[in-house]
Amino acid sequence: DTNKELLTKIIIPYTAKVKKEIKFPDSQKAIIVWDSFKGQNNNDVRALLEKPNIAEIVVPANTTANPLMNQSIVRVNIS
């Protein structure tokens, strides 16, 4: 499945790399923000995100095409 491959080959390794670079422990929670596409919104994907401590934020259906919604997501400052 494409989403599992995306997670295991790109997102999870990248998250681990960034945590290491900024000297965060492996236990530090990370977040992924994505839409409610059914390929991402399932228990298999959630299980993959659990061990590397990645929490998901699911953007509600029919809102990712809304320019106002996109701007609000981009402007979130996590510091």
Side-chain angles (χ1 to χ4, degrees), residues 8-65:
T8 58
K9 292 187 176 182
I10 297 173
I11 293 174
I12 292 171
Y14 177 76
T15 302
K17 177 184 168 209
V18 170
K19 284 181 185 181
K20 186 176 181 177
E21 287 174 357
I22 61 176
K23 297 180 172 82
F24 278 5
D26 291 338
S27 61
Q28 177 67 44
K29 189 166 291 285
I31 61 170
I32 186 167
V33 179
W34 53 20
D35 63 14
S36 60
F37 172 63
K38 66 181 178 179
Q40 300 161 171
N41 193 10
N42 64 61
N43 290 333
D44 291 339
V45 169
R46 285 187 196 93
L48 285 172
L49 295 173
E50 191 173 318
K51 185 177 179 186
N53 208 11
I54 300 173
E56 64 177 332
I57 297 175
V58 179
V59 178
N62 301 314
T63 58
T64 56

Side-chain angles (χ1 to χ4, degrees), residues 31-33 57 59 68-79:
I31 61 170
I32 186 167
V33 179
I57 297 175
V59 178
L68 294 175
M69 184 65 170
N70 289 338
Q71 286 180 356
S72 65
I73 290 172
V74 170
R75 292 184 181 172
V76 170
N77 183 7
I78 301 172
S79 53

